Amino acid sequence: MTDSPNIAALAAPLADPARARMVLALMDGRARTVGELGAAAGLGKASASEHLAKLTDAGFLKAERQGRHKYLTLASPEVAGLIEAMMALAGRTPARLPQIGPRDPALREARLCYNHLAGALGVRVYRSLSACGYLAHRPGGLDLTPSGRAFCHDFGLTETDLAPARTPLCRDCLDWSERQSHLGGRLGRLLLQRMEALGWLRRRPEGRALIVTPEGRRAIGLAFLPDAEVPKPAA
Amino acid sequence: MTDSPNIAALAAPLADPARARMVLALMDGRARTVGELGAAAGLGKASASEHLAKLTDAGFLKAERQGRHKYLTLASPEVAGLIEAMMALAGRTPARLPQIGPRDPALREARLCYNHLAGALGVRVYRSLSACGYLAHRPGGLDLTPSGRAFCHDFGLTETDLAPARTPLCRDCLDWSERQSHLGGRLGRLLLQRMEALGWLRRRPEGRALIVTPEGRRAIGLAFLPDAEVPKPAA
DNA sequence: TGGATGGTTCGGCTAAGGTCGAACCATGAC
DNA sequence: GTCATGGTTCGACCTTAGCCGAACCATCCA
């Protein structure tokens, strides 16, 4: 009777509004304490603790103790990917309201998705890299081409950054607000870090929205095609 | 306070085991009546009706009346895709049990995913088409190349089959048991239909598993590479 | 050592929702 | 018209689980 994968067990932890808000609050990839997440969800300590225990038991969250604090993060990029995918679908289901995507324009333009860049800017980077032949799309996922590798070097990434490792270098991630892919995986994280180091982007103390600095706006305009054509199938 | 997309509202309908079983029962793309789905979930008429109303309200299912029957199907390929993605993730979360993928080997080899071919065979077809340069992967999705178009003609598909339309011709679908992509979209459906017409595959009256006929096994061995290499990024 | 603070556990309250039988409504068959 | 049947609605029961205050435990600080 129960030979099927337990979708229900996977969905149940997310089915509570308070828990969903907590998970969403972690979508910027940063770690939060129990108290912070409880406050974000409008709960007391007790409820927050129970909810978070449920989420970690279900494998959505990972906990790490530091002194008397307990820091919670999303358990894996796969989890983050599922959440973004659900957001993308949730945005379209409410047939009653045209409320598509985030209201906050800053969130639409550039935001953190777990640990990489998302939003219109993330999609633009992804499309530009694809159009220039820096990313190769294959069935299982995504590869950095040799020319892409060269581009990354010019961009300031090191050999060791791009070395093969256990986790995939490139990864597709469906963008919630744009309904297109942006770049995740280790490379997504590295590019974001580099852009921060270059002063193009800055994180806000709160929230997932990223600040695009004036020089960042200029530099990105030069480095990435504004509305890249998708590579055409070979003739 | 509720400025975030309501993940919870999306997850809640799936969070009940009975409802999850019903949705899973529809993953073969066929339509079922309320009574059939209730029986599949082990429920009475009353409960089945209520659950199914909830699922259709949430946008997961689509209902169509025929006489005194009410036929339910999955609402869209997007929904089917989310379910398969959740199955893929649910298969890995139970850190306690190594229960990966379906127990039924027939289900592993070839099965219906909504309306196209999934399982090891579906992945093989997908990889072979990609390796032969028939499918072009681009950021937003997937395209049929001119040579792929020729292949489809040889395979027995018509011009009108492959004509542009509102719904995408090709679509990635993450395979639950294989953890790789297989081919969805209109082309996925057409290929499956063609394979059935050729007598390569047969549907079972019950369940999602497909029967691979002996001649089908032979023909598929000739038509599709057994373990195709993934196309390498351009040098 | 004592106090402040973050987190967990416990107990009790309450609301939500799943289940079923029974009544009811519609459709189709005779 | 009458009956059988698929589906929905209603009412009652009961379990689940979310919520909080209070007690408790652990850690850090003074």
Side-chain angles (χ1 to χ4, degrees):
Chain A
M1 172 164 289
T2 64
D3 59 344
S4 49
N6 38 1
I7 296 293
L10 187 71
L14 297 176
D16 181 81
R19 282 197 295 266
R21 248 171 287 159
M22 290 177 167
V23 171
L24 251 29
L26 289 170
M27 276 298 285
D28 59 1
R30 278 185 275 226
R32 307 283 158 96
T33 66
V34 175
E36 286 169 341
L37 290 170
L43 297 176
K45 292 193 302 179
S47 306
S49 175
E50 286 162 13
H51 280 308
L52 291 170
K54 204 163 290 192
L55 284 169
T56 50
D57 284 351
F60 284 97
L61 266 41
K62 224 171 23 186
E64 192 175 345
R65 302 207 70 112
Q66 270 185 31
R68 59 181 162 182
H69 290 272
K70 184 179 184 179
Y71 284 98
L72 295 152
T73 54
L74 294 185
S76 71
E78 284 83 5
V79 170
L82 179 66
I83 305 296
E84 275 265 333
M86 292 183 73
M87 284 195 278
L89 220 165
R92 106 171 36 182
T93 38
R96 39 194 175 278
L97 278 180
Q99 169 242 8
I100 299 175
R103 264 188 289 264
D104 183 357
L107 211 56
R108 279 192 103 103
E109 186 188 16
R111 67 174 183 274
L112 284 168
C113 173
Y114 190 49
N115 59 13
H116 51 265
L117 177 62
L121 198 53
V123 170
R124 171 173 173 177
V125 167
Y126 182 88
R127 291 172 62 106
S128 174
L129 292 177
S130 298
C132 294
Y134 297 160
L135 294 177
H137 303 261
R138 58 170 169 78
L142 207 57
D143 286 312
L144 186 64
T145 64
S147 59
R149 199 166 289 269
F151 170 84
C152 288
H153 282 148
D154 292 346
F155 199 66
L157 302 185
T158 68
E159 285 288 350
T160 52
D161 281 340
L162 305 177
R166 212 178 51 75
T167 61
L169 183 60
C170 305
R171 176 190 286 282
D172 267 319
C173 191
L174 180 59
D175 197 280
W176 152 49
S177 55
E178 299 294 316
R179 303 283 164 75
Q180 298 181 56
S181 290
H182 60 246
L183 182 63
R186 263 165 47 231
L187 186 57
R189 179 169 53 78
L190 289 166
L191 286 183
L192 171 64
Q193 288 174 347
R194 187 74 188 127
M195 288 186 190
E196 289 183 289
L198 289 168
W200 294 5
L201 300 174
R202 248 175 319 129
R203 306 200 182 196
R204 293 170 204 256
E206 277 300 310
R208 302 165 60 198
L210 289 163
I211 299 168
V212 185
T213 65
E215 59 270 36
R217 199 171 295 279
R218 196 170 45 245
I220 289 171
L222 293 174
F224 300 100
L225 305 179
D227 194 15
E229 281 300 311
V230 154
K232 287 284 172 236
Chain B
M1 174 163 291
T2 63
D3 59 344
S4 49
N6 38 359
I7 295 293
L10 186 71
L14 298 176
D16 181 79
R19 281 196 296 265
R21 249 171 288 161
M22 291 177 168
V23 171
L24 250 28
L26 289 170
M27 277 298 285
D28 61 1
R30 278 185 275 226
R32 307 283 157 93
T33 66
V34 176
E36 286 170 341
L37 290 170
L43 295 177
K45 292 193 302 180
S47 305
S49 176
E50 286 162 13
H51 280 307
L52 291 170
K54 204 164 291 190
L55 284 169
T56 50
D57 284 350
F60 284 97
L61 267 40
K62 223 171 23 187
E64 191 176 346
R65 301 207 72 112
Q66 270 185 31
R68 58 180 162 181
H69 289 272
K70 183 178 184 180
Y71 285 97
L72 295 152
T73 53
L74 294 185
S76 71
E78 284 82 5
V79 170
L82 179 66
I83 304 296
E84 274 267 332
M86 290 183 75
M87 284 195 277
L89 219 166
R92 106 172 35 183
T93 37
R96 39 193 177 277
L97 278 179
Q99 170 242 10
I100 299 175
R103 263 188 289 264
D104 183 358
L107 212 56
R108 278 191 102 103
E109 187 188 14
R111 66 173 182 276
L112 285 168
C113 173
Y114 189 50
N115 58 13
H116 52 264
L117 177 62
L121 198 54
V123 170
R124 171 173 173 176
V125 167
Y126 182 88
R127 291 173 63 106
S128 174
L129 292 177
S130 297
C132 293
Y134 297 161
L135 294 177
H137 302 260
R138 59 170 168 76
L142 205 57
D143 286 312
L144 186 65
T145 65
S147 59
R149 198 166 288 269
F151 171 84
C152 289
H153 282 147
D154 292 345
F155 199 67
L157 302 185
T158 68
E159 284 290 350
T160 52
D161 282 340
L162 305 176
R166 210 179 50 76
T167 61
L169 182 60
C170 305
R171 176 191 287 281
D172 267 318
C173 190
L174 180 60
D175 197 280
W176 152 49
S177 55
E178 299 292 315
R179 305 282 165 72
Q180 298 180 57
S181 290
H182 59 248
L183 183 62
R186 263 166 48 231
L187 185 58
R189 179 169 54 77
L190 290 166
L191 286 183
L192 171 64
Q193 287 174 348
R194 186 73 187 127
M195 289 187 190
E196 289 183 287
L198 289 168
W200 295 4
L201 299 174
R202 250 179 315 131
R203 307 201 181 193
R204 293 169 202 255
E206 275 301 309
R208 302 165 61 199
L210 289 163
I211 299 169
V212 185
T213 65
E215 59 269 38
R217 200 172 295 280
R218 196 170 46 246
I220 289 170
L222 293 174
F224 300 100
L225 306 179
D227 195 17
E229 282 299 312
V230 153
K232 288 283 171 240

